[in-house]
């Protein structure tokens, strides 16, 4: 099956946070890194990027099947069916299923590419496998 | 008959419309009262004082049951009630094990209050439909169902003449009948009993949850004490609760954030460590089987022995590799990542009315495997599964069934009963066909199954009075206390666990204290005072789960990294803190671990006094059958001779050399009885009870439980 997903090159990341800004603006209409679906964490000599690999571990633990893979292989959340249990958050091997207390449901990367356009160095890109 | 056709045969006996009250900080403060005798439906406001003293769950169950009955009430009296309540934390979705309902009634097994906890969606759905609890009273004239529609705000009592009685069918029928489409089935939860609940005293209640992956209404059980027998005696076939869609904030908690954080923390802990700890997500509570075998604790042949050469045939790996479907989301309420509600799919039944049907079997839980299996000398996993299925659908308690059948088998093997009495059943240990026949007889209300279905307490009387058996020997080997059968752990070598079973309120169930490993394996509580402290703390701590609507498993069937290095690893301090955080998150009230114990003590002592009010609850009722304390027979002693001989030498100070087994049994027995009596003294003292096991006035005053009706009961005994 085709999988469209975000890929990262941490060696190019300068930690500017443009990706987080663009993502949270797009989906929550505010500039708030805690509401971004991609995360930048400054390490000692490099910047760590937390991204969703669309692996589907979240789908497997979802009790309501609110998480499903679409035709592009992207795992998406149907908020109507979500009961907000956050098991997906706890079981995500990449820590890329996000949660914020303002929101009743979790949220995740849908490989839209907005962050890749905002990234000045090409550290993030969308690839179809 | 099609479901639609069945529904057309319903006659509405009563319809009640209401405005579902939203939850605030975990409560609606409303109790729903349904009388199926005179078709009355009423709502009651729960007074602030009741909320403060009784919290919810079992607390509410005991309070409202007390008010409904009188000292002469029997299980089948009109006024007896089934009261259920889920507690204030129940229904949150973020933390594992938060969907429990506590069900209380006067028990057909014990004649005193029973409380049984159960998963499934009923409790949370009642809350989301506006009710902190439900009381069912009276007796209907014909079979009825109660339908609580929390979306429409409508409650009906309807005749239900055509529906099945057996749980797996009725669960499906009612789920389909009241859901408008497949998607809405998840918003329905159903209570059923089963056909054997009508003919035995050990009937259960099944609470359903719709499994969207398997597309089947799964069943969890309020198993202990005959609640299903009470339901069927009331001619209630089932209860349907239909809720609005579940969301993560329906409890309207005081602080959602702390609940989210605490829940995600535990999800991560389970994701990272369950596979290296108990493997609950793969095997559920049956994970205990191998441990029990290893420590000689698995009940074999009516608790005579702790292991068997064939036990490996029902070991953990067998169930994981061959039967339990892996990789499913097996939580009995949303958000339970421990996922212990395992199931076997496409199991083809070999006997009974559903022979040839391919069914989903919930379990086996550890208790089922041990009770239906090893304790009856049955080690064939497929027979265990078949018995498990029939227990659930016929509505029988697996523990009472297993322990009672094991007792009957031992009586048969010892010639106390014979084929003439059993109606031709060769009731020997290991006779799988005989056990299956027995269970089908219970469903039909026929034959010797009807006798075993009365439970050990009544079998002992029948065997002594009608078949000339020695009542003292039956008392020794009949593993019941207060009328309830023991749960499936051999506790001969753990004095603390003998007390853990013996001093329970409802009868010997392991949900109050499970101290075998702490006591016997790790020797962490060597003195009477240590044991008494444990027999105070753990029953109180675990009672708290039943007040709040919580499952015990996520407390200590998963432990955080570094737990072993804490001051009191057995208490799992980090998880205790989680519960305090959840309590704060829901109610906005900050409490300490001491406050938790105190909240429980209020209800625990109230229940103890309730027992006294109903004719039990004194020291005489806390005695144990010797089978659970030590070797009754020569075979038992000699099978572990080295162990017992060395105990005589080291603990009793008697040289076993040159003594006959009978002499040694007698000496050991006197010693162990004495130990149990000393433990009883220490525990009563620690709990603030008189030497006769009665909560003292001072204790009740200190707890703020010196209610006039409570003092009236104890005054006669002090």
């Amino acid at each position: 099956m085709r999988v469209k997903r975000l890929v990262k090159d941490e060696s190019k990341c300068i930690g500017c946070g443009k990706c987080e800004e663009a993502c949270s603006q797009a989906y929550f209409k505010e500039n708030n890194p805690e509401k971004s679906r991609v995360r930048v964490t400054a390490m000692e000599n490099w910047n760590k990027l937390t991204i969703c690999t669309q692996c589907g571990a979240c789908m497997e633990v979802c009790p309501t099947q609110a998480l499903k893979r679409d035709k592009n292989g992207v795992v998406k959340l149907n908020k109507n069916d979500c009961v907000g249990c956050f098991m997906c958050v706890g079981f995500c091997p990449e820590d890329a299923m996000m949660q914020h207390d303002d929101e009743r449901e979790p949220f995740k990367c849908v490989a839209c590419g907005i962050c890749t356009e905002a990234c000045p160095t090409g550290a993030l890109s969308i690839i179809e496998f | 008959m099609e479901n639609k056709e069945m529904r057309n045969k319903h006659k509405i006996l009563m319809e009640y419309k209401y405005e579902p009250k939203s939850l605030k900080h975990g409560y609606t403060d409303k109790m729903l009262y349904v009388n199926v005798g005179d078709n009355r439906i009423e709502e009651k406001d729960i007074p602030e004082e009741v909320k403060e003293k009784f919290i919810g769950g079992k607390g509410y169950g005991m309070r409202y049951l007390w008010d409904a009955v009188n000292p002469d009430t029997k299980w089948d009296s009109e006024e007896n009630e089934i009261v259920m309540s889920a507690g204030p934390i129940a229904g949150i979705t973020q933390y594992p094990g938060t969907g429990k309902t506590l069900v209380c009634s006067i028990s057909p097994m014990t004649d005193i209050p029973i409380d049984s906890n159960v998963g499934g969606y009923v409790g949370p759905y009642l809350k989301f439909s506006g009710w902190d609890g439900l009381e069912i009273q009276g007796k209907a004239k014909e079979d009825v169902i109660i339908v609580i529609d929390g979306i429409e705000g409508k409650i009906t009592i309807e005749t239900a003449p055509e529906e099945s009685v057996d749980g797996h069918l009725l669960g499906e029928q009612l789920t389909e009948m009241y859901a408008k489409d497949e998607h809405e089935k998840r918003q329905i939860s159903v209570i059923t009993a089963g056909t054997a609940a009508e003919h035995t005293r050990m009937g259960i209640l099944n609470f359903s949850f719709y499994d969207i992956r398997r597309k089947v209404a799964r069943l969890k059980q309020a198993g202990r004490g005959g609640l299903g027998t009470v339901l069927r005696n009331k001619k209630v076939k089932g209860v349907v609760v239909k809720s609005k869609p579940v969301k993560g904030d329906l409890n309207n908690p005081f602080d959602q954030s702390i609940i989210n954080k605490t829940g995600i923390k535990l999800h991560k802990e389970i994701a990272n460590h369950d596979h290296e700890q108990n493997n609950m997500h793969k095997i559920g509570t049956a994970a205990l089987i191998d441990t029990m075998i290893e420590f000689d604790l698995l009940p074999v042949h009516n608790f005579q022995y702790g292991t068997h050469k064939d036990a490996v045939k029902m070991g953990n790996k067998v169930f994981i590799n061959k039967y339990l479907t892996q990789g499913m989301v097996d939580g009995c309420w949303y958000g339970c990542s421990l996922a212990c509600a395992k199931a076997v799919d496409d199991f083809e039944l070999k006997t009974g009315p559903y022979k040839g049907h391919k069914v989903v079997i919930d379990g086996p839980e550890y208790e089922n495997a041990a009770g239906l299996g090893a304790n009856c000398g049955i080690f064939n996993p497929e027979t265990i599964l078949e018995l498990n299925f029939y227990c659930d659908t016929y509505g029988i308690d697996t523990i009472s069934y297993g322990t009672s059948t094991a007792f009957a088998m031992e009586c048969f093997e010892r010639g106390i009963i014979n084929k003439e009495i059993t109606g031709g059943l060769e009731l020997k240990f290991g006779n799988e066909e005989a056990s299956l026949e027995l269970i089908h007889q219970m469903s039909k209300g026929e034959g010797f199954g009807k006798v075993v279905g009365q439970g050990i307490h009544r079998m002992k009387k029948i065997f002594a009075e009608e078949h000339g058996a020695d009542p003292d020997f039956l008392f020794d080997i009949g593993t019941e206390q207060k009328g309830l059968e023991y749960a499936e752990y051999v506790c001969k070598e753990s004095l603390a666990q003998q007390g853990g079973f013996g001093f329970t309120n409802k009868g010997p169930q392991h949900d109050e204290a499970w101290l075998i490993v702490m006591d016997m394996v790790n020797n962490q509580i060597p003195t009477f005072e240590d044991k008494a402290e444990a027999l105070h703390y753990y029953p109180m701590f675990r009672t708290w789960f039943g007040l709040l609507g919580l499952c015990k498993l996520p407390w200590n069937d998963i432990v955080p990294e570094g737990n072993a290095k804490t001051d009191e690893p057995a208490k799992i301090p980090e998880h205790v803190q989680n519960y305090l955080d959840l309590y704060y998150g829901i109610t906005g009230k900050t409490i300490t671990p001491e406050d938790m114990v105190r909240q429980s003590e209020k209800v625990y002592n109230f229940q103890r006094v309730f027992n006294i009010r109903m004719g039990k609850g004194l020291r005489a009722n806390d005695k144990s059958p010797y089978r659970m304390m030590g070797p009754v027979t020569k075979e038992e002693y000699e099978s572990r001779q080295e162990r017992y001989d060395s105990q005589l030498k080291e603990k009793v100070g008697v040289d076993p050399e040159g003594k006959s087994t009978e002499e040694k049994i007698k000496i050991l027995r006197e010693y162990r009885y004495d130990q149990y009596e000393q433990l009883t003294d220490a525990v009563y003292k620690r709990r603030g009870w008189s030497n006769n096991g009665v909560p003292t006035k001072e204790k009740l005053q200190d707890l703020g439980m010196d209610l006039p009706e409570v003092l009236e009961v104890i005054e006669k005994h002090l």
Side-chain angles (χ1 to χ4, degrees):
Chain A
M1 189 196 197
R2 228 162 40 127
V3 176
K4 183 180 164 196
R5 55 162 284 206
L6 198 58
V7 293
K8 61 184 178 181
D9 182 347
E10 282 163 338
S11 67
K12 291 184 181 163
C13 179
I14 53 168
C16 67
K18 292 282 182 201
C19 54
E20 293 173 324
E21 185 183 337
C23 180
S24 61
Q25 276 293 353
Y27 293 100
F28 293 105
K29 312 289 175 238
E30 60 180 290
N31 178 7
N32 183 350
E34 289 182 1
K35 289 191 176 179
S36 170
R37 293 141 197 247
V38 52
R39 298 285 167 91
V40 188
T41 314
M43 309 304 280
E44 204 170 334
N45 296 315
W46 59 291
N47 294 298
K48 181 177 154 193
L49 290 168
T50 299
I51 59 162
C52 171
T53 65
Q54 311 297 339
C55 73
C58 53
M59 291 163 47
E60 285 167 29
V61 298
C62 177
T64 61
Q65 294 182 316
L67 286 152
K68 282 189 174 147
R69 209 177 276 286
D70 73 5
K71 61 181 188 317
N72 295 319
V74 177
V75 178
K76 287 185 171 164
L77 176 73
N78 172 359
K79 280 169 76 167
N80 287 334
D81 283 349
C82 176
V83 294
C85 70
F86 303 134
M87 294 204 309
C88 51
V89 178
F91 279 69
C92 174
E94 307 292 334
D95 290 328
M97 180 62 78
M98 306 299 181
Q99 178 270 336
H100 190 283
D101 288 336
D102 287 352
E103 302 298 315
R104 200 169 55 179
E105 288 86 22
F107 48 94
K108 73 178 289 297
C109 170
V110 292
C112 68
I114 287 173
C115 59
T116 64
E117 285 160 26
C119 177
T121 65
L124 291 165
S125 47
I126 293 282
I127 290 188
E128 276 193 34
F129 290 90
Chain B
M1 191 183 283
E2 291 289 315
N3 286 333
K4 205 172 160 189
E5 221 177 305
M6 270 191 241
R7 190 170 181 179
N8 285 339
K9 303 251 174 169
H10 290 192
K11 199 164 62 193
I12 309 284
L13 301 175
M14 176 54 68
E15 183 178 297
Y16 179 86
K17 295 218 164 149
Y18 71 106
E19 189 67 44
K21 194 178 165 197
S22 295
L23 286 147
K24 188 175 181 204
H25 301 174
Y27 290 97
T28 64
D29 297 324
K30 290 270 184 192
M31 186 67 116
L32 173 61
Y33 171 84
V34 178
N35 190 313
V36 292
D38 57 12
N39 296 318
R40 222 160 8 109
I41 302 174
E42 292 167 4
E43 49 189 278
K44 297 179 181 175
D45 290 320
I46 298 172
E48 193 55 38
E49 197 203 347
V50 170
K51 187 172 167 180
E52 187 262 322
K53 288 192 193 316
F54 294 90
I55 310 290
K58 178 163 94 166
Y60 282 6
M62 288 297 157
R63 174 71 270 182
Y64 283 85
L65 184 63
W66 177 300
D67 292 341
V69 303
N70 63 67
D72 297 320
T73 299
K74 301 293 171 223
W75 69 274
D76 56 354
S77 301
E78 288 271 345
E79 70 272 15
N80 189 21
E81 286 194 347
I82 294 173
V83 194
M84 62 189 77
S85 170
I89 295 180
I92 65 167
T93 59
Q94 297 80 15
Y95 195 86
T98 50
K100 289 279 191 171
T101 309
L102 272 288
V103 193
C104 301
S105 190
I106 299 298
S107 158
M109 305 292 293
T110 64
D111 304 312
I112 55 173
I114 187 75
D115 62 276
S116 200
N117 83 69
V118 55
Y121 295 175
V122 170
Y125 281 7
L126 274 174
K127 285 180 69 173
F128 305 155
S129 301
W131 309 108
D132 284 348
L134 165 67
E135 293 172 84
I136 304 173
Q137 197 177 38
K139 287 192 198 190
K141 288 165 199 70
E142 54 194 314
D143 276 334
V144 297
I145 58 168
I146 300 164
V147 183
I148 300 159
D149 185 334
I151 301 173
E152 295 274 321
K154 191 173 81 178
I155 299 154
T156 51
I157 304 173
E158 309 178 10
T159 63
E162 301 294 339
E163 282 81 353
S164 304
V165 173
D166 282 341
H168 81 294
L169 295 177
L170 183 59
E172 287 290 304
Q173 287 162 2
L174 294 179
T175 301
E176 205 166 310
M177 201 177 283
Y178 289 92
K180 67 173 189 289
D181 54 31
E182 178 64 26
H183 193 272
E184 209 185 51
K185 286 182 183 173
R186 67 186 71 187
Q187 289 165 240
I188 307 265
S189 184
V190 172
I191 302 173
T192 81
T195 45
E198 295 171 5
H199 307 299
T200 66
R201 286 174 184 262
M202 48 181 76
I204 57 165
L205 297 179
N206 289 301
F207 278 37
S208 78
F209 68 97
Y210 190 71
D211 185 328
I212 59 169
R213 285 176 167 83
R214 293 181 168 93
K215 299 197 188 312
V216 66
R218 303 269 308 276
L219 304 175
K220 299 303 290 180
Q221 292 75 33
R224 306 274 17 223
L227 292 160
T229 304
V230 180
L231 190 82
R232 290 304 294 137
N233 184 259
K234 293 184 176 307
K235 283 201 179 294
V236 177
K237 226 177 215 180
V239 179
V240 181
V241 190
K242 185 171 180 177
S243 163
K244 59 185 165 190
V246 177
K247 290 289 155 195
D249 57 359
L250 292 183
N251 263 299
N252 191 10
F254 177 80
D255 182 350
Q256 182 75 53
S257 173
I258 196 167
I259 296 172
N260 294 345
K261 274 188 194 63
T262 313
I264 292 169
K265 185 178 71 160
L266 190 59
H267 291 324
K268 285 184 191 292
E269 200 175 299
I270 291 169
N272 294 333
H273 300 297
D274 180 49
H275 66 280
E276 66 201 28
Q277 293 181 15
N278 290 338
N279 237 348
M280 299 297 281
H281 74 291
K282 280 198 165 173
I283 185 170
T285 60
L288 263 179
I289 298 171
D290 285 357
T291 316
M292 295 296 104
I293 295 171
E294 185 188 343
F295 290 107
D296 203 28
L297 296 167
L298 182 76
V300 171
H301 295 177
N302 194 29
F303 295 96
Q304 290 182 84
Y305 312 113
T307 190
H308 190 279
K309 66 176 173 47
D310 292 331
V312 66
K313 291 182 186 164
M314 51 172 270
N316 294 17
K317 277 191 189 143
V318 178
F319 283 109
I320 293 176
N321 295 339
K322 201 163 170 199
Y323 297 106
L324 296 168
T325 308
Q326 298 297 312
M328 300 297 267
V329 184
D330 288 322
C332 73
W333 173 241
Y334 293 122
C336 193
S337 43
L338 210 51
C340 82
K342 308 317 295 178
V344 178
D345 288 291
D346 296 319
F347 185 88
E348 189 171 334
L349 297 164
K350 299 180 191 76
T351 68
Y354 309 114
K355 182 178 173 178
H357 291 208
K358 286 194 170 177
V359 294
V360 177
I361 302 177
D362 285 87
E365 303 284 343
Y366 163 75
E367 302 288 336
N368 307 353
L372 306 172
N375 215 5
C376 295
I378 293 169
F379 301 97
N380 177 352
E382 300 207 359
T383 304
I384 293 169
L385 287 170
E386 181 125 353
L387 285 165
N388 194 153
F389 172 80
Y390 274 115
C391 273
D392 290 350
T393 197
Y394 286 161
I396 311 174
D397 175 15
T398 52
I399 297 176
S400 279
Y401 178 86
T403 301
S404 296
T405 303
F407 168 75
M409 284 176 163
E410 185 173 351
C411 289
F412 188 91
E413 295 229 349
R414 294 187 185 279
I416 293 167
I417 54 172
N418 53 37
K419 273 168 88 167
E420 209 176 306
I421 293 165
T422 64
L425 283 180
E426 184 86 10
L427 218 52
K428 284 189 169 164
F429 288 121
N431 188 343
E432 300 171 18
E433 290 75 24
S435 184
L436 284 160
E437 179 55 28
L438 208 57
I439 210 167
H440 297 313
Q441 287 180 351
M442 287 183 187
S443 158
K444 290 180 273 191
E446 291 173 356
F448 196 64
K450 221 175 156 182
V451 177
V452 177
Q454 298 302 300
I456 295 174
H457 186 70
R458 286 164 181 87
M459 269 194 281
K460 287 193 299 193
K461 197 164 183 287
I462 295 167
F463 294 174
E465 287 177 3
E466 296 177 19
H467 309 308
D470 171 8
D472 291 339
F473 184 68
L474 293 184
F475 179 79
D476 277 349
I477 68 162
T479 52
E480 62 91 8
Q481 190 228 42
K482 300 186 179 84
L484 194 71
E485 284 70 24
Y486 272 76
E488 310 297 337
Y489 305 92
V490 172
C491 57
K492 288 174 194 169
E493 303 312 314
S494 168
L495 179 61
Q497 187 55 36
Q498 291 166 28
F501 279 135
F503 312 137
T504 45
N505 268 330
K506 66 168 156 275
Q509 169 74 350
H510 52 291
D511 63 344
E512 281 197 14
W514 198 85
L515 303 171
I516 297 182
V517 172
M518 208 177 167
D519 186 38
M520 186 194 101
V521 181
N522 297 336
N523 197 25
Q524 288 165 312
I525 42 175
T527 67
F528 286 114
E529 285 67 32
D530 294 335
K531 291 185 206 310
E533 184 56 38
L535 283 167
H536 174 66
Y537 176 77
Y538 288 101
M540 297 313 142
F541 176 70
R542 292 171 70 145
T543 292
W544 198 79
F545 293 138
L547 307 182
L548 277 297
L550 301 171
C551 172
K552 163 263 163 193
L553 271 65
W555 160 56
N556 72 345
D557 281 304
I558 178 80
V559 297
E561 224 171 342
N563 183 62
K565 294 194 186 82
T566 58
D567 288 345
E568 295 182 285
K571 290 185 178 175
I572 331 277
E574 187 180 320
H575 286 181
V576 174
Q577 186 59 47
N578 287 355
Y579 291 113
L580 300 176
D581 291 344
L582 292 182
Y583 186 80
Y584 170 77
I586 285 287
T587 65
K589 292 178 194 158
T590 305
I591 58 167
T592 64
E594 292 73 31
D595 295 331
M596 289 170 101
V597 168
R598 207 173 154 78
Q599 286 181 337
S600 296
E601 276 190 286
K602 288 174 198 259
V603 174
Y604 195 90
N605 281 276
F606 183 81
Q607 189 174 351
R608 180 80 179 182
V609 177
F610 199 167
N611 281 354
I612 298 169
R613 181 186 182 220
M614 303 308 289
K616 291 185 182 171
L618 301 174
R619 189 169 183 131
N621 308 110
D622 286 347
K623 291 205 178 310
S624 288
Y626 192 63
R627 176 55 58 76
M628 301 310 282
M629 301 169 72
V632 174
T633 63
K634 207 174 158 196
E635 308 89 87
E636 278 172 271
Y637 190 101
E638 288 174 355
S639 74
R640 272 98 179 130
Q641 179 156 348
E642 205 180 318
R643 174 194 294 166
Y644 296 132
D645 277 359
S646 80
Q647 285 182 8
L648 282 179
K649 209 181 289 177
E650 285 158 26
K651 291 190 175 173
V652 192
V654 169
D655 186 359
E657 272 302 306
K659 290 195 168 51
S660 70
T661 302
E662 285 79 3
E663 284 172 308
K664 290 190 284 187
I665 288 175
K666 190 166 173 281
I667 298 166
L668 191 64
R669 187 179 177 117
E670 279 165 11
Y671 171 76
R672 290 194 174 194
Y673 267 135
D674 179 60
Q675 295 276 300
Y676 190 78
E677 289 305 316
Q678 289 191 55
L679 180 69
T680 308
D681 289 341
V683 171
Y684 285 2
K685 190 176 160 203
R686 178 62 188 89
R687 289 185 181 177
W689 296 353
S690 78
N691 201 38
N692 195 22
V694 182
T696 62
K697 197 172 173 182
E698 296 71 37
K699 180 72 189 177
L700 294 167
Q701 276 168 344
D702 176 54
L703 291 171
M705 293 302 281
D706 50 337
L707 309 167
E709 66 274 27
V710 171
L711 294 181
E712 193 192 326
V713 173
I714 63 154
E715 269 157 12
K716 293 174 209 147
H717 297 275
L718 291 171

